[in-house]
Amino acid sequence: MREAFGRALVELGRIRTDFVVLDADVAGGTGTHFFRQEFPDRFIQCGIAEQNMMSVAAGLSTLGLIPIVTCYAVFASLRSIEQARNSIAYPKFNVKIAASHLGLDVGPDGPTHQAIEDLAVFRSIPNFTIVSPADPVELKKALPAVIDLDGPVYLRTGRSPVPTIFDEGLRFELGRGSIIREGRDVTIIAIGVMVHRAIEAAERLHREGISCRVINMSTIKPLDREIIADSASRTGCLVTAEDHTILGGLGGAVAEVLAETVPVRMERVGIRDLFAESGDPQDLARKYHLLPDDIVLAVRKVLRGKQ
Amino acid sequence: MDNDEKDRLERLAAELRKYIIIMNCYAGSGHPGGALSAADIVTYLFHKEINFSPENYQDANRDRFILSKGHSCMVLYAALAQRGFFSTEEFKKLRRIDGMLQGHPDRLKTPGVEFNSGSLGQGFSFALGVALGGKRAGLNFRVYVMLGDGELNEGQVWEGFMFGTHYQLDNLVAIIDYNKFQSDDLNSNVTALEPLHSKLASFGWHVIGINGHDFREIEYAFDRVRKTKGKPSVIVANTVKGKGISFMENNPKWHGSLAPLGEERVRALQECGCENIGGPGELRSR
C-alpha cells in the first residue's frame, strides 16, 4: 500500500501542482520518497517533529497550497493529535493527513508503532473526513477525491502489501459504502486490510450455504448511514471487521447507527482492547483474531442470535 | 522616532489598555496580565509596523500578526477594534455565547484573526508554515508571531525554532513577551528559561533584547530584524506583567482567568482612565 501511495502521489503530482508533501523523516516508510525524488521543491522535510509539522501544514494551507502531511498513523493520531485538532480541524484548514503503518501490519516494531486507535481518535474530532481504502486501486482513486475535498481529511494509506480487490474501472465516491458482494443472511462491513479477509470469509461461508453481503466502508466519516440501516433490515444481522481496536472505530460507529435506526444483532471483529506484541503481521493477525477464520466465527455467532 | 510620534503611540497604547480592562470587566473573566504586558508592542505593530488593515486583511500580500499566546487575546481584540475591524460594542460579548470574540482567538468568528491559537506552541509553528508558504509563493509579506515566555515550556516551540533555522525564514520575526510570569508563578519557579538569549542564539536565530515598553527600543528592534537576512529573528521583549494597572503588575494572580471586581474594578477603571463602563447591570459578576 505504501508503494501504491507513493506512486499515486507522483502520478498526481505530474498533473496537478496544487499540493505539497510534508514528511517527518519517514519518507522510506510511508512511500513519499518517490515524490521527494521527482518533486524535491514540493517536498517539505519537517524532521522528527510531528507536532510542529501539523501546525506548519496549517500555516502553509493559508497560502492556497494543499499540504499532505505524511507520517506513521500512531504519531498522527496520538502524538500530534492535539495539533491536528486545534491547528487544522478547528480552524477548518485544507490539510490532508495521510498516515501509514496501520493496526498490527507494522508487525515486528511492536505496540509503540501499531496504530490501533486512530479511527476512534479522529472520528471524535469535528470537521475531519476519514478515509481508509481497501486496496491500491481504491487508494489511487481516493487520492484525487481527498485532495479535491475542501477541508481536513485523515487518509489511511497502510503499509503491508494487500491483494488487489478492485479493477481500474472502480468509481470511488467519498462518503459512500460500496457493496462488494450481495448476500441475504448476514452483512459484513469491513475496512482497509480487513476487506479482502471479509471477502475470503464470505466465499468460505458461501460454500457452507451462508449468503453474506460484504460492504467496503472506506469512508468512516461521514459514515454511510443509509447502507448500514438498509443492510440491517435486509440481512437482519451484521458483523464489522477492522484492523483497529473494537472500541470507537468502525464497529463502534456502525453500532451507533444500528441503535439509532434498525437495531439488529452484531459482532465486532477487531483488536480486543489490548496491546499486541512484536511479530510477523500474519502471525499477529492470527493470534489477535483478525483473519478470515475469525470473521467466519463471528458470522456463525451472530447468525445464532439472529431473530 | 520623534517625541510627537512617541506621544501618539503612548496615547494609543493607553487606549488599548483601557479597552482591555473594559472588556475584561464586561466578560468577568479573561487573562489581563499577559494582555497588558503585550500592549505596547502590539500597539507598535498595529500602528507602525505591519501592513494589515480592514481593507487588505484578506490579501495574500498582507503582513501577518499571529498571537501564539492566545490567552492574551484581549490585546489582539483591542487592537483590531482600534484599527476598525469591528466595533468596540463587541467587547460586551467577549467570552459570551453568540459573541464574535471567543475566549481564545477564532479565525472563523473574528475578522482580522489569523489563527485559532491558545493551545500553546501551535501559533508559533503555524506562523512558521505561513512564512515558509510565503517564501515558496514568492510573496514579500512578513510574519510577526508573539509568544509568551511560559509558552517556551512547550516542546513544540523548540521543534519550531529548529524548523525556522533550517528553512532560513528571514521573513518571520518572533516576539517573546518576556514578563517573567506564567500561570502559577514566576517562570524561574516553574521552569527556568535562562539563559534565554544564548539558548535562542544557539538555535541559529538572530536574537535582540529590548525593553518592551519603550517605543524607541521597539522601533530599533524591528528596524534591525528587517535587515537580517538568511535567518529568522526573535525579539526578547522584557515586559511587566499587568503593566499599567498598579495592583496587577508583577502579580501572578492576574495571569487569568479572572477580572477585577468591587474595589479593584473601580481602581482598574480609574487607572486606565475610564470612570464608568455603563450601568452595573451590564457587568457580569462572578
Side-chain angles (χ1 to χ4, degrees):
Chain A
M1 282 291 264
R2 55 178 160 178
E3 176 151 358
F5 174 65
R7 301 277 184 209
L9 271 183
V10 171
E11 254 180 65
L12 211 54
R14 288 184 187 136
I15 52 176
R16 57 195 287 178
T17 57
D18 55 354
F19 67 92
V20 289
V21 173
L22 281 70
D23 166 46
D25 195 31
V26 285
T30 58
T32 57
H33 59 296
F34 298 116
F35 190 87
R36 178 179 62 197
Q37 200 172 0
E38 182 136 351
F39 306 102
D41 295 343
R42 292 163 61 188
F43 182 87
I44 298 171
Q45 180 58 261
C46 294
I48 310 165
E50 292 85 0
Q51 300 173 25
N52 182 60
M53 174 168 69
M54 291 288 174
S55 305
V56 161
L60 282 168
S61 77
T62 64
L63 277 300
L65 287 167
I66 303 171
I68 303 181
V69 176
T70 59
C71 64
Y72 293 172
V74 72
F75 306 125
S77 62
L78 295 171
R79 186 180 201 108
S80 55
I81 191 63
E82 203 252 329
Q83 283 73 13
R85 176 187 187 268
N86 282 325
S87 290
I88 296 170
Y90 174 32
K92 283 191 187 166
F93 284 128
N94 194 18
V95 175
K96 319 301 172 188
I97 300 169
S100 72
H101 291 59
L102 306 174
L104 304 186
D105 269 2
V106 185
D109 279 342
T112 53
H113 284 56
Q114 293 164 351
I116 59 171
E117 309 92 346
D118 63 329
L119 292 175
V121 169
F122 273 99
R123 212 163 73 76
S124 65
I125 300 174
N127 298 339
F128 266 113
T129 294
I130 305 171
V131 183
S132 185
D135 83 341
V137 176
E138 189 177 33
L139 173 58
K140 197 172 108 181
K141 301 280 179 181
L143 198 55
V146 158
I147 296 176
D148 281 337
L149 184 79
D150 185 16
V153 178
Y154 177 64
L155 172 71
R156 300 167 104 217
T157 62
R159 174 177 183 269
S160 292
V162 290
T164 299
I165 300 166
F166 304 108
D167 61 42
E168 286 291 332
L170 175 77
R171 284 171 59 107
F172 176 82
E173 203 180 337
L174 266 173
R176 300 298 287 270
S178 54
I179 300 160
I180 293 185
R181 185 186 171 108
E182 262 307 356
R184 59 180 186 279
D185 298 327
V186 60
T187 302
I188 307 170
I189 301 183
I191 50 159
V193 68
M194 298 303 283
V195 174
H196 73 87
R197 291 172 180 161
I199 295 168
E200 197 181 320
E203 277 165 14
R204 225 179 284 175
L205 287 158
H206 177 70
R207 291 197 287 272
E208 295 176 19
I210 297 169
S211 164
C212 303
R213 182 182 232 215
V214 178
I215 289 170
N216 170 28
M217 194 65 86
S218 46
T219 307
I220 313 298
K221 193 181 181 186
L223 191 61
D224 187 345
R225 296 170 64 90
E226 287 72 30
I227 204 167
I228 295 170
D230 180 59
S231 300
S233 44
R234 280 170 196 267
T235 64
C237 65
L238 205 145
V239 168
T240 57
E242 59 197 306
D243 50 338
H244 184 275
T245 167
I246 54 167
L247 305 177
L250 175 71
V254 169
E256 288 166 14
V257 175
L258 291 181
E260 289 169 353
T261 56
V262 183
V264 296
R265 268 198 44 80
M266 74 174 286
E267 286 291 325
R268 294 172 292 169
V269 173
I271 298 158
R272 307 201 76 83
D273 196 22
L274 52 79
F275 290 107
E277 64 192 289
S278 289
D280 172 75
Q282 190 67 15
D283 295 340
L284 289 172
R286 184 172 303 108
K287 177 163 179 179
Y288 296 100
H289 306 297
L290 300 176
L291 288 180
D293 283 349
D294 303 298
I295 299 172
V296 167
L297 289 174
V299 166
R300 289 198 188 118
K301 189 173 174 196
V302 83
L303 283 171
R304 281 199 298 275
K306 185 173 164 182
Q307 286 147 0
Chain B
M1 183 184 297
D2 61 27
N3 285 337
D4 283 355
E5 181 63 353
K6 188 163 163 286
D7 289 348
R8 181 182 80 97
L9 290 169
E10 278 168 0
R11 275 197 307 277
L12 288 164
E15 185 179 59
L16 212 62
R17 290 195 164 90
K18 183 171 82 178
Y19 285 172
I20 290 167
I21 294 301
I22 287 173
M23 71 179 103
N24 188 204
C25 288
Y26 277 132
S29 68
H31 294 74
L36 292 166
S37 64
D40 293 309
I41 298 158
V42 169
T43 298
Y44 186 87
L45 285 169
F46 273 76
H47 294 279
K48 197 126 175 85
E49 178 72 14
I50 58 175
N51 171 28
F52 184 72
S53 68
E55 290 71 44
N56 80 351
Y57 80 97
Q58 287 173 323
D59 294 353
N61 268 308
R62 72 188 184 279
D63 287 340
R64 270 76 160 173
F65 172 68
I66 294 144
L67 184 70
S68 194
K69 46 175 252 165
H71 58 276
S72 301
C73 57
M74 288 193 294
V75 71
L76 174 60
Y77 298 157
L80 290 170
Q82 213 174 30
R83 287 298 312 270
F85 281 84
F86 46 79
S87 156
T88 55
E89 281 295 299
E90 297 294 336
F91 295 166
K92 291 180 179 171
K93 288 178 287 177
L94 170 71
R95 297 172 79 94
R96 294 206 197 179
I97 195 158
D98 294 332
M100 165 200 286
L101 306 177
Q102 298 290 294
H104 287 79
D106 182 341
R107 66 180 285 268
L108 299 173
K109 287 201 162 69
T110 312
V113 166
E114 300 279 2
F115 182 59
N116 301 28
S117 57
S119 177
L120 296 177
Q122 296 189 29
F124 180 49
S125 299
F126 173 81
L128 294 165
V130 175
L132 180 62
K135 270 189 181 285
R136 294 197 163 218
L139 298 169
N140 287 319
F141 65 77
R142 295 179 60 77
V143 181
Y144 299 83
V145 55
M146 178 178 272
L147 296 93
D149 46 12
E151 187 168 11
L152 301 182
N153 292 180
E154 289 284 2
Q156 179 174 4
V157 166
W158 301 94
E159 294 179 357
F161 279 122
M162 286 186 270
F163 186 91
T165 310
H166 185 77
Y167 285 101
Q168 304 182 334
L169 299 178
D170 53 12
N171 56 344
L172 175 136
V173 51
I175 305 128
I176 294 171
D177 182 18
Y178 197 11
N179 59 35
K180 320 292 187 299
F181 284 90
Q182 51 198 95
S183 183
D184 270 5
D185 202 346
L186 281 160
N187 306 147
S188 55
N189 290 334
V190 180
T191 300
L193 295 175
E194 292 295 343
L196 184 55
H197 226 278
S198 55
K199 227 174 243 170
L200 296 166
S202 75
F203 272 67
W205 285 55
H206 170 219
V207 191
I208 178 164
I210 56 162
N211 173 351
H213 300 305
D214 181 322
F215 283 110
R216 290 203 171 97
E217 289 198 25
I218 296 171
E219 178 180 55
Y220 166 79
F222 283 115
D223 284 348
R224 271 198 59 197
V225 300
R226 220 177 298 115
K227 290 174 190 130
T228 302
K229 298 294 169 206
K231 57 167 135 177
S233 294
V234 52
I235 297 172
V236 179
N238 289 287
T239 59
V240 174
K241 192 135 183 176
K243 171 80 174 175
I245 305 298
S246 57
F247 61 91
M248 290 186 183
E249 288 189 1
N250 292 321
N251 182 346
K253 173 186 159 191
W254 292 99
H255 174 88
S257 170
L258 78 172
L261 282 172
E263 246 334 80
E264 284 184 330
R265 194 187 83 198
V266 174
R267 263 179 77 194
L269 288 168
Q270 275 171 354
E271 288 186 20
C272 72
C274 180
E275 293 304 321
N276 191 1
I277 60 168
E282 289 191 270
L283 283 173
R284 196 175 136 199
S285 57
R286 274 178 294 171

